Amino acid sequence: MMRSTDDLKNFLGEHYNKESENPYWTQVETLQKLKVFGAGLFVKSFTTEKIIDPTLGAHMLLRQFLSELDAIIILLEQGATEQCNIHLRTMLELALQVEYMTENSNNERGLHYNLMFKLRQFGFYGSLVAGSEKRRKLANDISKDRFNYLFSLPEWDQDLRGKMDDLESFLFTEPLKEHYEYYRKLEQRQRPRYWYSFYGGPKNLEQLAHNLGYPAIYNIIYRDLSGLAHGEMAIPGKIKFQGESKKAEVNCLREYDNNDCVNICNYSIIFCQICFHAFIPNIIPEENEKLKSWEFNKNKFPASI
């Protein structure tokens, strides 16, 4: 059976008139307030680009947090509530990392983040070293890939060797040296996979959430959002059979559901409360009064789930 052009527009959500549902847009304005508040924190407190600054990690996490919030706002402006879930999931991951990094003004944890960032760069160069096992494995992966024509391994030349040597010298420079030497002394299988796993820290995000006191948020909210992120919940609830006719109806890609929008807003508020209540006292304590007066402060605004 041929489908009409209107059927296609309905499925894609292109018929939506955003002026027709005012409550929806009120929630988008709420998220804008959250973003502006967070952006003000970043601009006021970020003063350096040096990788040895222990607060750099917290700032980079906050920047990505705000980027995810911005993406949610853009999606909601298109009526795309379902597509916000992956960004919500990432927001929670970032908020938990900000809290763990800044817990008790722990500058060492900021250095662990910086070190792991540099180690990933170092690992990239290591996969290009001529004759190395990592390069052979990478070349083998490329050769087996059905899109192998998209990839090419750069020649291991003096320029790349110099960059790798410079990076290793930097890793042996204080204040990263102590943590890098600790990392190198560990057996390969014992080396931390995440920056927050250094020195016996949480081994994964689940342990991190439990460590910080958010077991319910992880098991109820995060696991649900993860199912969407991994493509495990794409069908349930999106195809419905109507009455006795059993005629199937498929929800459009943009659902414009006011209830979903409110839920997205509430999740965003909760994640912002986690993030900002960690960032401000430990990174810019002079803004504590602003946090107390913030209209979405967790002590003033109990967002519902």
Side-chain angles (χ1 to χ4, degrees), residues 11 13 39 42 65 74 79 91 112 129 155 178 181 208 231 251 275:
F11 178 64
F42 184 94
F65 182 91
I74 293 170
M91 280 179 67
H112 302 161
V129 174
E155 292 295 326
E178 172 189 348
E181 289 182 337
L208 178 63
N251 290 7
C275 183

Side-chain angles (χ1 to χ4, degrees), residues 55-186:
T55 71
L56 180 62
H59 283 91
M60 293 300 96
L61 291 170
L62 176 60
R63 185 195 180 283
Q64 189 179 352
F65 182 91
L66 296 172
S67 178
E68 299 299 329
L69 184 58
D70 187 49
I72 288 173
I73 293 169
I74 293 170
L75 287 168
L76 289 182
E77 288 176 346
Q78 300 300 318
T81 51
E82 184 180 346
Q83 291 84 339
C84 293
N85 289 303
I86 292 178
H87 299 285
L88 283 171
R89 177 179 182 267
T90 305
M91 280 179 67
L92 178 57
E93 293 179 356
L94 293 164
L96 294 178
Q97 289 184 73
V98 169
E99 179 164 335
Y100 187 75
M101 181 178 292
T102 60
E103 191 178 44
N104 302 318
S105 301
N106 195 321
N107 287 336
E108 294 297 293
R109 291 178 182 173
L111 293 176
H112 302 161
Y113 176 94
N114 298 353
L115 174 60
M116 188 61 79
F117 173 74
K118 286 300 182 183
L119 285 173
R120 286 176 179 166
Q121 289 183 306
F122 193 70
F124 166 75
Y125 290 122
S127 66
L128 302 179
V129 174
S132 69
E133 181 60 32
K134 287 184 178 180
R135 185 182 179 95
R136 282 193 291 270
K137 183 180 183 306
L138 184 56
N140 186 52
D141 288 344
I142 291 174
S143 68
K144 292 180 177 179
D145 198 280
R146 292 169 65 182
F147 283 84
N148 56 58
Y149 58 85
L150 296 175
F151 305 95
S152 62
L153 275 174
E155 292 295 326
W156 180 248
D157 55 19
Q158 189 63 38
D159 180 55
L160 285 176
R161 184 182 295 108
K163 289 180 178 179
M164 187 175 185
D165 289 344
D166 288 344
L167 180 53
E168 186 167 33
S169 296
F170 183 76
L171 290 171
F172 277 113
T173 303
E174 295 293 355
L176 296 183
K177 178 181 177 181
E178 172 189 348
H179 306 293
Y180 181 49
E181 289 182 337
Y182 158 80
Y183 179 87
R184 292 177 72 240
K185 288 177 181 177
L186 295 174

